[in-house]
């Protein structure tokens, strides 16, 4: 049985060259995202869940067009690291093949950015999302690292491409992928499909029901784009007292406008959460973090203001200009 442990063929681009070129390309796309931020930052916030789709489109155009014959098989990162994308005959890819080549690479990247906008997903949608992010992403990385004879990963196999050193004149021979690699990729896919069910079983119970109910209540507010809720307990260690458990409710609320320094607004959200789940009034601390920002995959920007109080202070009929912070 072959083990595929031989070093990379001389003409194939090695792992570090490919990884280095990708990092350079990500930085270049980040600069593009930064320029968009200064030009249209508030518009990017209003895009909400469409933001990662915009980032995906920009990255698709960058990688797809430059990795084709239009860019002579080289993004700016590949040009810097002296590597290029060609097909099995050593010819540059057509734009359509190069665009398709980016899709398996871009899906884990941008779907991961999109997850924060989607909220709670039920089976099978949560399993499909995990497959396309964790499963596909881990398989791509596995082949790039351990398919040492050619360094071809899933996106290369999809369109029959290979990444060669730009200084070589000959086309490197492409050998069939070892079946063991396919088996590992299949295992990674199955593990990612089963992970959401395992997490739901581990987190099921009253706490999970409270999380979902509070999230739905907060997202019903007209000025709230989305919310993340966390209920938990942490161990507090202090020199003056013995260790003890410290319970908390954390609300991360993404706002549709920039009114973040507003204690009364934070109190309204805390009261809404405690009204949905009155049992949480016994926790030691409730934190409300108001967030204004966006994530388009190639760039993100966020500003936030955090308020941490006891439930009793949040539930007071009137809120002072400056609320005392809850102490462990």
């Amino acid at each position: 049985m072959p083990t595929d442990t031989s070093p990379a063929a001389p003409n194939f681009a090695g792992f570090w060259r490919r990884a280095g070129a990708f990092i350079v390309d990500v930085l270049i796309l980040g600069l593009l995202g930064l320029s968009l931020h200064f030009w249209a930052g508030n518009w990017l916030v209003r895009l909400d869940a469409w933001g990662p789709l915009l980032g995906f489109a920009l990255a698709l155009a960058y990688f797809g067009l430059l990795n084709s014959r239009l860019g002579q098989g080289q993004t700016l990162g590949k040009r810097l690291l002296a590597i290029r994308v060609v097909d099995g005959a050593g010819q540059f890819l057509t734009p359509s093949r190069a665009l398709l080549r980016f899709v398996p690479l871009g899906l884990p990247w941008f779907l991961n950015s999109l997850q924060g906008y989607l909220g709670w997903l039920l089976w099978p949608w949560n399993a499909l999302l995990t497959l396309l992010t964790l499963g596909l992403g881990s398989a791509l990385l596995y082949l790039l690292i351990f398919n040492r004879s050619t360094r071809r990963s899933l996106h290369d196999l999809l369109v029959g491409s290979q990444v060669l050193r730009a200084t070589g004149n000959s086309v490197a021979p492409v050998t069939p992928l070892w079946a063991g690699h396919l088996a590992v990729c299949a295992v990674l896919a199955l593990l990612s499909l089963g992970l959401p069910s395992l997490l739901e079983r581990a987190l099921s119970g009253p706490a999970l029901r409270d999380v979902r109910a509070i999230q739905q209540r907060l997202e019903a507010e007209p000025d709230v784009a989305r919310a993340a809720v966390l209920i938990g307990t942490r161990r507090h260690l202090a020199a003056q007292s013995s260790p003890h458990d410290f319970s908390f409710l954390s609300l991360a609320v993404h706002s549709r406008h920039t009114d973040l320094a507003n204690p009364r607004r934070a109190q309204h959200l805390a009261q809404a959460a405690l009204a949905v789940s009155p049992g949480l009034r016994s926790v030691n601390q409730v934190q409300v973090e108001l967030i204004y920002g966006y994530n388009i995959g190639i760039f993100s920007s966020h500003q936030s203001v955090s308020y941490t109080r006891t439930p009793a202070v949040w539930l007071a009929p009137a809120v002072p200009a400056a609320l005392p912070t809850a102490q462990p």
Side-chain angles (χ1 to χ4, degrees):
M1 177 185 297
T3 58
D4 201 9
T5 57
S6 59
N11 207 36
F12 283 105
F15 171 79
W16 291 113
R17 279 179 182 261
R18 294 186 64 166
F22 184 73
I23 291 172
V24 172
D25 290 328
V26 169
L27 291 175
I28 292 170
L29 286 170
L31 291 176
L32 173 60
L34 179 61
S35 65
L36 285 175
H37 169 77
F38 287 118
W39 175 59
N42 289 330
W43 176 72
L44 293 176
V45 175
R46 292 194 295 272
L47 284 179
D48 202 47
W50 294 101
L53 298 180
L54 171 64
F56 178 82
L58 294 173
L60 176 65
Y62 175 84
F63 283 99
L65 298 180
L66 291 182
N67 278 331
S68 73
R69 61 171 177 246
L70 299 178
Q72 296 187 326
Q74 293 180 304
T75 60
L76 297 180
K78 288 184 176 67
R79 193 172 298 276
L80 181 64
L81 273 294
I83 58 178
R84 58 192 169 111
V85 181
V86 296
D87 63 15
Q91 302 299 312
F92 297 127
L93 302 181
T94 62
S96 59
R97 287 178 69 187
L99 289 168
L100 179 60
R101 180 181 182 271
F102 175 74
V103 172
L105 185 64
L107 280 177
W109 179 1
F110 290 94
L111 284 177
N112 185 61
S113 301
L114 187 62
Q115 282 189 88
Y117 294 91
L118 297 179
W120 287 100
L121 293 176
L122 299 177
W123 195 91
W125 303 115
N126 56 1
L128 178 61
L129 183 62
T130 306
L131 174 65
L132 293 176
T133 52
L134 181 61
L136 181 56
S138 58
L140 283 162
L141 185 60
Y142 167 81
L143 287 177
L144 190 60
I145 295 175
F146 294 105
N147 185 19
R148 300 181 62 216
S149 62
T150 65
R151 303 293 181 187
R152 300 174 80 207
S153 193
L154 293 177
H155 58 313
D156 290 312
L157 298 172
L158 176 65
V159 299
S161 65
Q162 52 188 329
V163 182
L164 308 179
R165 296 180 186 178
T167 54
N169 295 321
S170 60
V171 178
V174 177
T175 57
L177 186 67
W178 177 46
H181 290 321
L182 294 176
V184 171
C185 291
V187 170
L188 292 173
L190 290 174
L191 289 175
S192 66
L193 281 172
L195 183 61
S197 297
L198 293 176
L199 289 177
E200 282 200 3
R201 291 179 182 178
L203 299 175
S204 61
L208 183 59
R209 289 194 292 271
D210 285 338
V211 165
R212 290 178 172 174
I214 293 172
Q215 184 178 27
Q216 291 174 353
R217 171 62 183 87
L218 296 180
E219 291 179 348
E221 292 287 322
D223 57 351
V224 173
R226 62 190 184 281
V229 180
L230 178 64
I231 302 171
T233 303
R234 62 172 177 262
R235 195 73 170 167
H236 178 65
L237 303 176
Q240 296 82 9
S241 61
S242 59
H244 62 278
D245 290 334
F246 186 77
S247 57
F248 66 89
L249 166 64
S250 176
L251 311 174
V253 181
H254 291 259
S255 175
R256 297 187 187 276
H257 53 75
T258 58
D259 184 24
L260 305 183
N262 188 335
R264 297 183 187 279
R265 183 183 177 205
Q267 184 187 37
H268 171 72
L269 295 171
Q271 289 178 345
L274 294 172
V276 169
S277 301
L280 294 175
R281 297 181 183 186
S282 61
V283 301
N284 299 107
Q285 173 181 291
V286 178
Q287 180 187 52
V288 179
E289 183 181 14
L290 299 177
I291 306 167
Y292 181 79
Y294 63 88
N295 182 357
I296 61 171
I298 61 173
F299 188 81
S300 64
S301 175
H302 297 88
Q303 52 183 307
S304 65
V305 177
S306 182
Y307 304 87
T308 304
R309 320 290 183 228
T310 63
V313 173
W314 284 126
L315 293 170
V319 58
L323 293 175
T325 299
Q327 298 297 328

